[in-house]
Amino acid sequence: SIPIFMFTKMNQAMMDFKITGSELLLNYQSHTEKCSWSIFDISGIEMCKGNLNGKAPHKIPLDQLSPNVYQLCVIDGGELLNVRFRVS
């Protein structure tokens, strides 16, 4: 079966992040214990994923991504935050 996710809020506002070398520094403080992130390519394929544990900033490795445009999605409880970014 295909999992169906119901989000109470979808936020496409800019998240506070910075790309430095081969990682993305995400300055986001999660509101729930089960907060996760995924990076998708422009065709919607999930390239990598992980959990946001501890305090911000969170280091998300980008060394496996080729130069392109990607979408970072953060799922925090019933909230989905996303933003596009470019790897050069």
Coordinates of all heavy atoms in Angstrom, one line a residue:
S1 N 0.8 -1.2 0.0 CA 0.0 0.0 0.0 C 0.9 1.2 0.0 O 2.0 1.2 0.5 CB -0.9 0.0 1.2 OG -0.3 0.3 2.4
I2 N 0.3 2.3 -0.5 CA 1.1 3.6 -0.6 C 0.7 4.4 0.6 O -0.5 4.6 0.9 CB 0.7 4.3 -1.9 CG1 1.1 3.5 -3.1 CG2 1.4 5.7 -2.0 CD1 0.6 4.0 -4.4
P3 N 1.7 4.9 1.3 CA 1.4 5.8 2.5 C 0.8 7.1 2.0 O 1.3 7.7 1.0 CB 2.8 5.9 3.2 CG 3.8 5.7 2.1 CD 3.2 4.7 1.2
I4 N -0.2 7.6 2.7 CA -0.8 8.9 2.5 C -0.5 9.8 3.6 O -0.8 9.4 4.8 CB -2.3 8.7 2.2 CG1 -2.5 7.8 1.0 CG2 -3.0 10.1 2.1 CD1 -4.0 7.5 0.8
F5 N 0.0 10.9 3.4 CA 0.4 11.9 4.4 C -0.6 13.0 4.4 O -0.9 13.6 3.3 CB 1.8 12.5 4.2 CG 2.9 11.4 4.3 CD1 3.4 10.9 3.2 CD2 3.3 11.0 5.5 CE1 4.4 9.9 3.2 CE2 4.3 10.0 5.6 CZ 4.8 9.4 4.5
M6 N -1.1 13.4 5.5 CA -2.0 14.5 5.6 C -1.3 15.6 6.4 O -0.8 15.4 7.5 CB -3.3 14.2 6.4 CG -4.1 13.1 5.7 SD -4.8 13.6 4.1 CE -5.9 14.8 4.6
F7 N -1.1 16.8 5.8 CA -0.5 17.9 6.4 C -1.5 19.0 6.8 O -2.3 19.3 6.0 CB 0.6 18.5 5.5 CG 1.7 17.5 5.1 CD1 1.7 16.9 3.9 CD2 2.7 17.2 6.1 CE1 2.7 15.9 3.6 CE2 3.6 16.2 5.8 CZ 3.7 15.6 4.6
T8 N -1.4 19.5 8.0 CA -2.3 20.5 8.4 C -1.8 21.9 7.9 O -2.6 22.8 7.8 CB -2.3 20.6 9.9 OG1 -1.0 20.8 10.4 CG2 -2.9 19.3 10.5
K9 N -0.6 22.0 7.5 CA 0.0 23.3 7.0 C 1.1 23.0 6.1 O 2.0 22.2 6.3 CB 0.4 24.1 8.2 CG 0.9 25.5 7.8 CD 1.4 26.3 9.1 CE 1.9 27.6 8.7 NZ 2.4 28.3 9.9
M10 N 1.1 23.7 4.9 CA 2.2 23.6 4.0 C 2.8 25.0 3.8 O 2.1 25.9 3.5 CB 1.7 23.1 2.6 CG 2.8 22.9 1.6 SD 2.2 22.0 0.2 CE 3.6 22.0 -0.8
N11 N 4.1 25.1 4.1 CA 4.8 26.4 4.1 C 5.9 26.4 3.1 O 6.8 25.6 3.1 CB 5.4 26.6 5.5 CG 6.0 28.0 5.7 OD1 6.1 28.7 4.7 ND2 6.4 28.3 6.9
Q12 N 5.7 27.3 2.1 CA 6.7 27.4 1.0 C 7.6 28.6 1.2 O 8.3 29.0 0.4 CB 6.1 27.4 -0.3 CG 5.4 26.1 -0.7 CD 4.9 26.1 -2.1 OE1 4.4 27.1 -2.6 NE2 4.9 25.0 -2.7
A13 N 7.5 29.2 2.4 CA 8.3 30.3 2.7 C 9.8 29.9 2.8 O 10.1 28.7 3.0 CB 7.9 30.9 4.1
M14 N 10.7 30.9 2.6 CA 12.1 30.6 2.7 C 12.5 30.1 4.0 O 12.2 30.7 5.0 CB 12.9 31.8 2.3 CG 12.7 32.3 0.9 SD 13.3 31.1 -0.3 CE 15.0 31.2 -0.1
M15 N 13.2 28.9 4.0 CA 13.8 28.4 5.3 C 15.1 29.1 5.4 O 15.8 29.4 4.4 CB 13.8 26.9 5.3 CG 12.5 26.3 5.5 SD 12.7 24.5 5.7 CE 12.9 23.9 4.1
D16 N 15.6 29.2 6.6 CA 16.9 29.8 6.8 C 18.0 28.7 6.6 O 18.1 27.8 7.4 CB 17.0 30.4 8.2 CG 18.3 31.1 8.5 OD1 19.0 31.4 7.5 OD2 18.6 31.3 9.7
F17 N 18.7 28.8 5.5 CA 19.8 27.8 5.2 C 20.9 28.4 4.5 O 20.8 29.5 3.9 CB 19.2 26.6 4.4 CG 18.9 26.9 3.0 CD1 19.8 26.7 2.0 CD2 17.7 27.4 2.6 CE1 19.5 27.0 0.7 CE2 17.4 27.7 1.3 CZ 18.3 27.5 0.3
K18 N 22.0 27.7 4.5 CA 23.2 28.2 3.8 C 24.0 27.0 3.2 O 24.1 26.0 3.9 CB 24.1 29.0 4.8 CG 25.4 29.6 4.2 CD 26.1 30.3 5.3 CE 27.4 30.9 4.8 NZ 28.1 31.7 5.8
I19 N 24.4 27.1 2.0 CA 25.2 26.0 1.4 C 26.7 26.4 1.5 O 27.1 27.5 1.1 CB 24.8 25.8 -0.1 CG1 23.4 25.3 -0.1 CG2 25.8 24.8 -0.7 CD1 22.8 25.1 -1.5
T20 N 27.4 25.5 2.2 CA 28.9 25.8 2.4 C 29.6 24.5 1.9 O 29.5 23.5 2.6 CB 29.2 26.1 3.9 OG1 28.8 25.0 4.7 CG2 28.5 27.3 4.3
G21 N 30.3 24.6 0.8 CA 31.1 23.4 0.4 C 30.1 22.3 0.0 O 29.3 22.4 -0.8
S22 N 30.3 21.2 0.7 CA 29.5 20.0 0.4 C 28.4 19.7 1.4 O 28.0 18.6 1.5 CB 30.5 18.8 0.3 OG 31.1 18.6 1.5
E23 N 27.9 20.8 2.1 CA 26.8 20.5 3.0 C 25.9 21.8 3.1 O 26.3 22.9 2.7 CB 27.3 20.2 4.4 CG 28.1 21.2 5.1 CD 28.7 20.8 6.4 OE1 28.7 19.6 6.7 OE2 29.2 21.6 7.2
L24 N 24.7 21.5 3.4 CA 23.7 22.5 3.6 C 23.5 22.7 5.1 O 23.2 21.7 5.8 CB 22.4 22.1 3.0 CG 21.2 23.1 3.0 CD1 20.4 22.9 1.7 CD2 20.3 22.9 4.1
L25 N 23.6 23.9 5.6 CA 23.4 24.2 7.0 C 22.0 24.7 7.2 O 21.7 25.8 6.7 CB 24.4 25.2 7.5 CG 25.9 24.8 7.5 CD1 26.8 25.9 7.9 CD2 26.1 23.6 8.3
L26 N 21.2 24.0 7.8 CA 19.8 24.4 8.0 C 19.5 24.9 9.4 O 19.7 24.1 10.4 CB 18.9 23.1 7.7 CG 17.4 23.3 7.9 CD1 16.8 24.4 7.0 CD2 16.7 22.0 7.7
N27 N 19.1 26.1 9.5 CA 18.9 26.7 10.8 C 17.4 26.6 11.1 O 16.6 27.6 10.9 CB 19.3 28.2 10.8 CG 19.3 28.8 12.2 OD1 19.3 28.0 13.2 ND2 19.3 30.1 12.3
Y28 N 17.0 25.4 11.5 CA 15.5 25.2 11.8 C 15.4 24.4 13.1 O 16.1 23.4 13.3 CB 14.9 24.4 10.7 CG 13.5 24.0 10.9 CD1 12.5 25.0 10.8 CD2 13.1 22.7 11.3 CE1 11.2 24.7 11.0 CE2 11.8 22.4 11.6 CZ 10.8 23.4 11.4 OH 9.5 23.1 11.7
Q29 N 14.6 24.9 14.0 CA 14.4 24.2 15.3 C 13.1 23.4 15.1 O 12.0 24.0 15.0 CB 14.3 25.2 16.4 CG 14.2 24.5 17.8 CD 15.4 23.6 18.0 OE1 16.6 23.9 17.8 NE2 15.1 22.4 18.5
S30 N 13.1 22.1 15.2 CA 11.9 21.3 15.1 C 11.0 21.5 16.3 O 11.4 21.8 17.4 CB 12.3 19.8 14.9 OG 13.0 19.4 16.1
H31 N 9.7 21.3 16.0 CA 8.7 21.4 17.0 C 8.2 20.0 17.5 O 7.5 20.0 18.5 CB 7.5 22.2 16.4 CG 7.8 23.5 15.9 ND1 8.2 24.6 16.7 CD2 7.9 23.9 14.6 CE1 8.5 25.6 15.9 NE2 8.4 25.2 14.7
T32 N 8.6 19.0 16.9 CA 8.3 17.6 17.3 C 9.5 16.7 17.4 O 10.6 17.1 16.8 CB 7.3 17.0 16.3 OG1 7.9 16.8 15.0 CG2 6.0 17.8 16.2
E33 N 9.4 15.6 18.0 CA 10.5 14.7 18.1 C 10.8 14.0 16.8 O 11.9 13.6 16.5 CB 10.3 13.6 19.2 CG 10.4 14.2 20.6 CD 10.2 13.2 21.7 OE1 10.3 12.0 21.3 OE2 10.0 13.5 22.8
K34 N 9.8 13.8 16.0 CA 10.0 13.1 14.7 C 9.9 14.1 13.6 O 9.0 14.2 12.8 CB 8.9 12.0 14.5 CG 9.0 10.9 15.5 CD 8.0 9.8 15.2 CE 8.2 8.6 16.2 NZ 7.3 7.5 15.9
C35 N 11.0 14.8 13.4 CA 11.2 15.7 12.3 C 12.2 15.2 11.3 O 13.3 14.8 11.7 CB 11.7 17.1 12.9 SG 11.8 18.4 11.7
S36 N 11.8 15.1 10.1 CA 12.7 14.6 9.0 C 12.8 15.5 7.9 O 12.0 16.4 7.7 CB 12.1 13.2 8.6 OG 10.8 13.4 8.0
W37 N 13.8 15.2 7.0 CA 14.1 16.0 5.8 C 14.3 15.0 4.7 O 14.7 13.9 4.9 CB 15.3 16.9 6.0 CG 16.6 16.2 6.3 CD1 17.1 16.0 7.5 CD2 17.5 15.7 5.4 NE1 18.3 15.3 7.4 CE2 18.5 15.1 6.1 CE3 17.5 15.6 4.0 CZ2 19.6 14.5 5.5 CZ3 18.6 15.0 3.4 CH2 19.7 14.4 4.1
S38 N 14.0 15.5 3.5 CA 14.3 14.8 2.2 C 14.7 15.8 1.2 O 14.2 16.9 1.2 CB 13.0 14.0 1.7 OG 12.7 13.0 2.6
I39 N 15.5 15.3 0.3 CA 15.9 16.1 -0.9 C 15.5 15.4 -2.1 O 15.8 14.2 -2.3 CB 17.5 16.4 -0.9 CG1 17.8 17.3 0.3 CG2 17.9 17.1 -2.2 CD1 19.3 17.6 0.5
F40 N 14.8 16.1 -3.0 CA 14.3 15.6 -4.2 C 14.9 16.3 -5.4 O 15.2 17.5 -5.3 CB 12.7 15.7 -4.3 CG 12.0 15.0 -3.2 CD1 11.7 15.6 -2.0 CD2 11.6 13.7 -3.4 CE1 11.1 14.9 -1.0 CE2 10.9 13.0 -2.4 CZ 10.6 13.6 -1.2
D41 N 15.1 15.6 -6.5 CA 15.6 16.2 -7.7 C 14.4 16.8 -8.4 O 13.2 16.7 -8.0 CB 16.4 15.3 -8.6 CG 15.6 14.2 -9.3 OD1 14.3 14.2 -9.1 OD2 16.2 13.3 -9.9
I42 N 14.6 17.5 -9.6 CA 13.5 18.2 -10.2 C 12.5 17.3 -10.8 O 11.4 17.7 -11.1 CB 14.1 19.2 -11.3 CG1 14.9 18.4 -12.3 CG2 14.8 20.3 -10.7 CD1 15.4 19.3 -13.5
S43 N 12.8 16.0 -11.0 CA 11.8 15.1 -11.5 C 11.0 14.4 -10.3 O 10.1 13.6 -10.6 CB 12.4 14.0 -12.4 OG 13.3 13.2 -11.6
G44 N 11.3 14.8 -9.1 CA 10.6 14.2 -7.9 C 11.2 13.0 -7.3 O 10.6 12.4 -6.4
I45 N 12.4 12.6 -7.7 CA 13.0 11.4 -7.2 C 13.7 11.8 -5.9 O 14.5 12.8 -5.9 CB 14.0 10.8 -8.2 CG1 13.2 10.3 -9.4 CG2 14.8 9.6 -7.5 CD1 14.1 9.8 -10.5
E46 N 13.5 11.0 -4.8 CA 14.1 11.3 -3.5 C 15.6 10.9 -3.6 O 15.9 9.8 -3.9 CB 13.4 10.5 -2.4 CG 14.0 10.9 -1.0 CD 13.2 10.2 0.1 OE1 13.2 8.9 0.1 OE2 12.6 10.8 0.9
M47 N 16.5 11.9 -3.4 CA 17.9 11.6 -3.5 C 18.6 11.2 -2.2 O 19.5 10.4 -2.2 CB 18.6 12.9 -4.1 CG 18.0 13.4 -5.4 SD 18.1 12.2 -6.7 CE 19.9 12.1 -7.0
C48 N 18.1 11.8 -1.1 CA 18.6 11.5 0.2 C 17.6 11.9 1.3 O 16.7 12.8 1.0 CB 20.0 12.1 0.4 SG 20.1 13.9 0.1
K49 N 17.8 11.4 2.5 CA 16.8 11.8 3.5 C 17.5 11.5 4.9 O 18.5 10.9 5.0 CB 15.5 11.0 3.5 CG 15.7 9.5 3.6 CD 14.4 8.8 3.5 CE 14.6 7.2 3.6 NZ 13.3 6.5 3.5
G50 N 16.9 12.1 5.9 CA 17.4 11.9 7.3 C 16.5 12.6 8.3 O 15.4 13.0 8.0
N51 N 17.0 12.6 9.5 CA 16.2 13.2 10.6 C 16.9 14.4 11.2 O 18.1 14.5 11.1 CB 16.0 12.1 11.7 CG 15.1 11.0 11.3 OD1 14.1 11.2 10.7 ND2 15.6 9.8 11.6
L52 N 16.1 15.3 11.7 CA 16.7 16.5 12.3 C 16.7 16.2 13.8 O 15.6 16.2 14.5 CB 15.8 17.8 12.0 CG 15.8 18.2 10.6 CD1 14.9 19.5 10.4 CD2 17.2 18.4 10.0
N53 N 17.8 15.9 14.3 CA 18.0 15.6 15.8 C 18.9 16.7 16.4 O 19.8 17.2 15.8 CB 18.7 14.3 15.9 CG 17.9 13.1 15.4 OD1 16.7 13.1 15.5 ND2 18.5 12.2 14.7
G54 N 18.6 17.1 17.6 CA 19.4 18.1 18.3 C 19.0 19.5 17.9 O 18.0 19.8 17.4
K55 N 19.9 20.4 18.2 CA 19.7 21.8 18.0 C 20.3 22.2 16.7 O 21.2 21.7 16.1 CB 20.3 22.6 19.1 CG 19.7 22.3 20.5 CD 20.3 23.2 21.5 CE 19.6 23.0 22.9 NZ 20.1 23.9 23.9
A56 N 19.7 23.3 16.1 CA 20.1 23.9 14.9 C 21.5 24.6 15.1 O 21.8 25.0 16.2 CB 19.1 24.9 14.4
P57 N 22.3 24.8 14.1 CA 22.0 24.4 12.7 C 22.3 22.9 12.5 O 23.1 22.3 13.1 CB 23.0 25.2 11.9 CG 24.2 25.4 12.8 CD 23.6 25.5 14.2
H58 N 21.5 22.3 11.5 CA 21.7 20.9 11.1 C 22.5 20.9 9.9 O 22.3 21.6 9.0 CB 20.3 20.3 10.9 CG 19.4 20.5 12.0 ND1 19.4 19.6 13.1 CD2 18.4 21.3 12.3 CE1 18.5 20.0 14.0 NE2 17.8 21.0 13.5
K59 N 23.4 19.9 9.8 CA 24.3 19.7 8.7 C 23.7 18.6 7.8 O 23.6 17.5 8.2 CB 25.7 19.4 9.1 CG 26.4 20.5 9.9 CD 27.8 20.1 10.3 CE 28.4 21.2 11.0 NZ 29.8 20.9 11.4
I60 N 23.4 19.0 6.6 CA 22.8 18.0 5.6 C 23.9 17.8 4.5 O 24.2 18.8 3.8 CB 21.5 18.5 5.0 CG1 20.5 18.6 6.1 CG2 21.0 17.6 3.9 CD1 19.1 19.2 5.7
P61 N 24.4 16.6 4.3 CA 25.5 16.4 3.3 C 24.9 16.5 1.9 O 23.9 16.0 1.6 CB 26.0 15.0 3.6 CG 24.9 14.3 4.3 CD 24.1 15.4 5.1
L62 N 25.7 17.2 1.0 CA 25.3 17.3 -0.4 C 26.3 16.7 -1.3 O 26.2 16.8 -2.5 CB 25.2 18.8 -0.7 CG 24.2 19.7 0.1 CD1 24.3 21.1 -0.3 CD2 22.8 19.1 0.0
D63 N 27.4 16.0 -0.8 CA 28.5 15.5 -1.6 C 28.0 14.5 -2.6 O 28.7 14.2 -3.6 CB 29.6 15.0 -0.7 CG 29.2 14.0 0.3 OD1 28.0 13.9 0.6 OD2 30.0 13.3 0.9
Q64 N 26.9 13.8 -2.4 CA 26.4 12.8 -3.3 C 25.5 13.4 -4.5 O 25.1 12.7 -5.3 CB 25.6 11.7 -2.6 CG 26.4 11.0 -1.5 CD 27.5 10.2 -2.1 OE1 27.4 9.6 -3.2 NE2 28.7 10.2 -1.5
L65 N 25.3 14.7 -4.4 CA 24.4 15.4 -5.4 C 25.2 16.0 -6.5 O 26.2 16.7 -6.2 CB 23.5 16.4 -4.7 CG 22.6 15.9 -3.6 CD1 21.9 17.1 -3.0 CD2 21.7 14.9 -4.1
S66 N 24.8 15.8 -7.7 CA 25.5 16.4 -8.9 C 24.9 17.8 -9.0 O 23.8 18.2 -8.5 CB 25.3 15.6 -10.1 OG 23.9 15.5 -10.4
P67 N 25.6 18.7 -9.8 CA 25.1 20.1 -10.0 C 23.7 20.1 -10.6 O 23.5 19.5 -11.6 CB 26.2 20.7 -10.9 CG 27.4 20.0 -10.6 CD 26.9 18.5 -10.3
N68 N 22.8 20.7 -9.9 CA 21.4 20.7 -10.4 C 20.5 21.5 -9.4 O 21.0 22.0 -8.4 CB 20.8 19.3 -10.5 CG 19.8 19.2 -11.6 OD1 19.1 20.1 -12.0 ND2 19.7 18.0 -12.2
V69 N 19.2 21.6 -9.7 CA 18.3 22.2 -8.8 C 17.6 21.1 -8.0 O 17.2 20.1 -8.6 CB 17.3 23.1 -9.6 CG1 16.2 23.6 -8.6 CG2 18.0 24.2 -10.3
Y70 N 17.4 21.3 -6.7 CA 16.8 20.3 -5.8 C 15.8 21.0 -4.9 O 15.7 22.2 -4.8 CB 17.9 19.7 -4.9 CG 18.9 18.9 -5.7 CD1 20.1 19.5 -6.1 CD2 18.6 17.6 -6.1 CE1 21.0 18.8 -6.9 CE2 19.5 16.9 -6.8 CZ 20.7 17.5 -7.2 OH 21.6 16.7 -7.9
Q71 N 14.9 20.2 -4.3 CA 13.9 20.6 -3.4 C 14.2 20.0 -2.0 O 14.3 18.8 -1.9 CB 12.5 20.2 -3.9 CG 11.4 20.7 -3.0 CD 10.6 21.7 -3.6 OE1 10.8 22.1 -4.7 NE2 9.6 22.2 -2.8
L72 N 14.3 20.8 -1.0 CA 14.5 20.3 0.4 C 13.1 20.4 1.0 O 12.5 21.4 1.0 CB 15.5 21.2 1.1 CG 15.5 21.0 2.7 CD1 16.1 19.6 3.0 CD2 16.4 22.1 3.3
C73 N 12.7 19.3 1.5 CA 11.4 19.2 2.3 C 11.7 18.8 3.7 O 12.4 17.8 3.9 CB 10.5 18.2 1.6 SG 10.0 18.6 -0.1
V74 N 11.1 19.5 4.6 CA 11.1 19.2 6.0 C 9.7 18.9 6.5 O 8.8 19.7 6.3 CB 11.7 20.4 6.9 CG1 11.7 20.1 8.3 CG2 13.2 20.6 6.4
I75 N 9.6 17.7 7.1 CA 8.3 17.3 7.7 C 8.4 17.3 9.2 O 9.2 16.6 9.8 CB 7.9 15.9 7.2 CG1 7.7 15.9 5.7 CG2 6.6 15.4 7.9 CD1 7.5 14.5 5.2
D76 N 7.6 18.2 9.8 CA 7.7 18.4 11.3 C 6.3 18.3 11.8 O 5.5 19.2 11.8 CB 8.3 19.8 11.6 CG 8.6 20.0 13.0 OD1 8.4 19.1 13.8 OD2 9.0 21.1 13.4
G77 N 6.0 17.1 12.3 CA 4.6 16.8 12.7 C 3.6 16.9 11.5 O 3.8 16.2 10.5
G78 N 2.6 17.8 11.6 CA 1.7 17.9 10.5 C 2.1 19.1 9.6 O 1.2 19.5 8.8
E79 N 3.3 19.6 9.7 CA 3.7 20.7 8.9 C 4.7 20.3 7.9 O 5.7 19.5 8.2 CB 4.3 21.8 9.8 CG 4.6 23.1 9.1 CD 5.0 24.2 10.0 OE1 5.2 23.9 11.2 OE2 5.1 25.3 9.5
L80 N 4.6 20.7 6.6 CA 5.5 20.5 5.5 C 6.1 21.8 5.1 O 5.4 22.7 4.7 CB 4.8 19.8 4.3 CG 5.6 19.7 3.1 CD1 6.8 18.8 3.3 CD2 4.8 19.2 1.9
L81 N 7.4 21.9 5.2 CA 8.2 23.1 4.7 C 9.0 22.7 3.6 O 9.6 21.6 3.6 CB 9.0 23.7 5.9 CG 8.3 24.1 7.1 CD1 8.4 23.0 8.2 CD2 8.8 25.4 7.6
N82 N 9.1 23.5 2.6 CA 10.0 23.2 1.4 C 10.6 24.4 0.8 O 10.0 25.5 0.9 CB 9.2 22.3 0.4 CG 8.1 23.0 -0.2 OD1 8.2 23.9 -0.9 ND2 6.9 22.5 0.1
V83 N 11.7 24.2 0.2 CA 12.4 25.3 -0.5 C 13.3 24.6 -1.6 O 13.8 23.5 -1.4 CB 13.2 26.1 0.5 CG1 14.4 25.3 1.1 CG2 13.8 27.4 -0.2
R84 N 13.4 25.4 -2.7 CA 14.4 24.9 -3.8 C 15.7 25.5 -3.5 O 15.9 26.6 -3.0 CB 13.8 25.3 -5.1 CG 12.6 24.5 -5.5 CD 12.3 24.8 -6.9 NE 11.1 23.9 -7.3 CZ 10.5 23.9 -8.4 NH1 10.9 24.7 -9.4 NH2 9.5 23.1 -8.7
F85 N 16.7 24.8 -4.0 CA 18.1 25.3 -3.9 C 18.9 24.7 -5.0 O 18.5 23.7 -5.7 CB 18.7 25.0 -2.5 CG 19.0 23.5 -2.3 CD1 20.2 22.9 -2.6 CD2 18.0 22.7 -1.8 CE1 20.5 21.6 -2.4 CE2 18.2 21.3 -1.6 CZ 19.4 20.8 -1.9
R86 N 20.0 25.3 -5.3 CA 20.9 24.8 -6.4 C 22.3 24.4 -5.9 O 22.9 25.0 -5.0 CB 21.1 26.0 -7.4 CG 22.1 25.6 -8.6 CD 22.2 26.8 -9.5 NE 21.0 27.2 -10.1 CZ 20.4 26.6 -11.2 NH1 21.1 25.6 -11.8 NH2 19.3 27.1 -11.7
V87 N 22.7 23.2 -6.4 CA 24.1 22.8 -6.2 C 24.9 23.1 -7.4 O 24.5 22.7 -8.5 CB 24.1 21.2 -5.9 CG1 25.5 20.7 -5.8 CG2 23.3 20.9 -4.6
S88 N 26.0 23.8 -7.2 CA 26.8 24.2 -8.4 C 28.0 23.3 -8.6 O 28.5 22.7 -7.6 CB 27.3 25.7 -8.2 OG 26.2 26.5 -8.0

